Amino acid sequence: MYKTTVEAREFVSALSEITASTQRRIFLAAPFTAIQEAVDVAKGTKISIGGQNMHDQLEGAYTGEISARMLKGSGASFVILGHSERRQHFGETNALIHRKLLLALKEGLMPILCIGELIHERESGEYLKVLKLQLEECLQGLNAAQVAEVIVAYEPVWAIGTGKTATPEIAQAIHGFIRNWVEERYGIDCAKQVCLIYGGSVKPDNIASLMQQTDIDGVLVGGASLEVKSFAQIVNY
């Protein structure tokens, strides 16, 4: 919950200049109020604009909510679903996230599905079981072609704002687990196609070591994305 419409315009404009020579795919999940403005500024650049969340229905008596069609109508091309903050602060369940994901795919929005374990789940050794359940329940009923369109973001919730650190090796171990899980259920081609990104306190000083890992295809950046300079350093590492 950052950036007014004016701030978003300035941010996208500055970012597009600093990252003009990159060959990487850049995604910005803007606040709902700033999506259309960000889309206008991002035209002709390598930056795609999306939403941070959406409702699981296309329309209805859900005051204050945003639908997939509203996102698309504003120019969004993707949407983040199941972010740890949505799960933690708003009680979002795997079942709800599953419904959102199906709708996003149906409406042509690329979903970024967030999964991750809490600190007590990590310390108790239950984390793989938790991650497996999140994958199973959120991707339930999807075929290999649909799963290949989903970006899966691993967020170790225990490493966000706790002082604890998920090393690149820990991140790789989980990403390897996720890719193996996809291969077992949807085949090797799907496992190769699916994009796995890491989202635990990504900063300019750890991006290179993270991206050296075999199964980390990209990153989901939090606080470091709020300043153009630090985010550009991550994009251009």
Side-chain angles (χ1 to χ4, degrees):
M1 192 170 67
Y2 293 94
K3 307 298 182 189
T4 64
T5 301
V6 171
E7 290 169 341
R9 168 176 281 277
E10 293 171 348
F11 184 96
V12 176
S13 178
L15 182 67
S16 64
E17 291 182 15
I18 302 175
T19 60
S21 62
T22 187
Q23 297 303 308
R24 298 185 172 121
R25 302 167 71 191
I26 306 170
F27 298 84
L28 287 179
F32 296 132
T33 52
I35 289 175
Q36 195 159 1
E37 190 80 10
V39 168
D40 289 342
V41 182
K43 284 179 181 175
T45 74
K46 298 180 177 70
I47 301 172
S48 298
I49 305 298
Q52 299 176 6
N53 183 40
M54 60 172 240
H55 198 268
D56 68 333
Q57 300 295 318
L58 281 182
E59 59 183 14
Y62 306 104
T63 300
E65 290 295 323
I66 303 293
S67 75
R69 287 181 183 169
M70 291 173 184
L71 287 178
K72 289 233 6 184
S74 295
S77 59
F78 72 92
V79 62
I80 297 176
L81 300 176
H83 191 281
S84 61
E85 291 166 7
R86 297 298 310 177
R87 293 176 185 264
Q88 176 185 352
H89 300 306
F90 302 96
E92 294 200 1
T93 64
N94 291 333
L96 174 61
I97 295 161
H98 169 65
R99 294 196 299 272
K100 293 184 180 188
L101 195 149
L102 289 178
L103 189 59
L105 288 170
K106 181 179 178 182
E107 292 300 312
L109 282 171
M110 184 185 69
I112 298 179
L113 169 64
C114 299
I115 64 171
E117 77 277 19
L118 302 172
I119 189 165
H120 72 270
E121 294 166 336
R122 163 63 61 163
E123 293 179 344
S124 68
E126 294 289 303
Y127 58 96
L128 292 182
K129 182 178 178 181
V130 169
L131 295 172
K132 181 181 177 183
L133 184 65
Q134 290 176 342
L135 288 166
E136 289 175 345
E137 294 188 349
C138 291
L139 298 175
Q140 180 182 356
L142 272 66
N143 58 38
Q146 290 173 310
V147 173
E149 294 180 37
V150 179
I151 291 179
V152 179
Y154 169 56
E155 294 183 289
V157 186
W158 53 272
I160 302 173
T162 62
K164 297 181 181 292
T165 304
T167 65
E169 292 73 24
I170 290 175
Q172 164 56 31
I174 299 299
H175 280 239
F177 167 80
I178 296 170
R179 203 175 299 278
N180 288 336
W181 184 91
V182 172
E183 182 176 346
E184 289 174 3
R185 285 154 185 78
Y186 301 99
I188 190 168
D189 288 341
C190 180
K192 288 180 178 179
Q193 291 177 57
V194 70
C195 183
L196 307 182
I197 64 178
Y198 174 74
S201 298
V202 178
K203 297 178 176 62
D205 60 4
N206 65 8
I207 180 63
S209 58
L210 285 168
M211 293 307 299
Q212 288 171 4
Q213 306 305 312
T214 305
D215 292 298
I216 297 181
D217 302 315
V219 288
L220 182 70
V221 188
S225 71
L226 297 178
E227 297 295 334
V228 172
K229 184 178 179 181
S230 62
F231 189 54
Q233 283 180 302
I234 292 172
V235 173
N236 293 326
Y237 80 94

